[in-house]
Amino acid sequence: MVIHPRVLPLVVVLTSMPWLPSVSANTDLSLYLKATSDWIQYGISETTGNPAIGVIAEYQLGEHWVIGGELRDAEPQRVRQRHREFSQYIGFEHSINEQWFSGLYLKHRNFPDSRLDWNYSELSWRLSHQDGFALAITHSGDYYDRNTQAIVVE
């Protein structure tokens, strides 16, 4: 995949897809397409400043449980590191009231074809408001498989 280096940051959320009637008729499934000039994760470029495109899917399993996955790819400059990602997660979400909900998520991130083993798992707790702002605390016991523990607050 080749993405022109002058691509402006762009996020497209696909909420209605008439070409996929089973998706548009099912409110339990959400699909997102994300194109960006640099994929940032926890304040760090995952693609060394290169443009990337990703697909994110999430499915509501019931009142509280959710599963999801993410695919992302970018053109590496020289050696492929974290330019390609496949992640999957499961979460438990609970509504506090009409405006707030919290969730606990277990996510595993895989970086296929990378030169080093960057794969790791993380556990996140998130407090979210319906207007879009949130507080999240994330812990990884082996962040980027470097024998490093990490705690992220965003």
Side-chain angles (χ1 to χ4, degrees):
M1 176 181 76
V2 177
I3 301 174
H4 195 278
R6 294 186 197 161
V7 173
L8 295 175
L10 172 67
V11 176
V12 179
V13 178
L14 300 176
T15 56
S16 173
M17 294 172 276
W19 47 271
L20 245 177
S22 63
V23 172
S24 61
N26 186 348
T27 59
D28 295 337
L29 180 63
S30 301
L31 290 174
Y32 305 92
L33 175 65
K34 181 177 180 179
T36 181
S37 60
D38 191 4
W39 199 282
I40 305 294
Q41 178 77 20
Y42 304 137
I44 300 170
S45 174
E46 295 273 295
T47 58
T48 56
N50 289 338
I53 189 162
V55 176
I56 304 161
E58 187 171 281
Y59 185 74
Q60 194 75 33
L61 292 173
E63 183 179 351
H64 297 288
W65 291 96
V66 63
I67 58 171
E70 178 179 318
L71 297 169
R72 178 202 6 108
D73 199 9
E75 192 69 27
Q77 290 175 330
R78 292 180 301 278
V79 177
R80 184 169 290 283
Q81 295 293 339
R82 296 183 310 266
H83 295 82
R84 181 172 294 146
E85 176 186 1
F86 171 66
S87 298
Q88 58 277 346
Y89 63 91
I90 185 166
F92 181 84
E93 298 176 339
H94 175 70
S95 293
I96 298 169
N97 58 35
E98 292 180 7
Q99 297 179 345
W100 292 93
F101 78 91
S102 68
L104 186 64
Y105 308 92
L106 179 61
K107 182 177 188 177
H108 184 72
R109 299 184 71 202
N110 297 294
F111 300 93
D113 302 327
S114 64
R115 189 173 59 104
L116 299 173
D117 185 7
W118 295 102
N119 304 341
Y120 70 94
S121 296
E122 62 186 21
L123 181 65
S124 298
W125 171 79
R126 185 175 202 86
L127 177 64
S128 302
H129 190 270
Q130 71 176 7
D131 290 337
F133 54 90
L135 167 69
I137 299 173
T138 302
H139 176 264
S140 175
D142 201 8
Y143 189 61
Y144 286 130
D145 198 30
R146 304 283 65 133
N147 295 320
T148 303
Q149 288 200 16
I151 296 177
V152 178
V153 178
E154 56 179 337

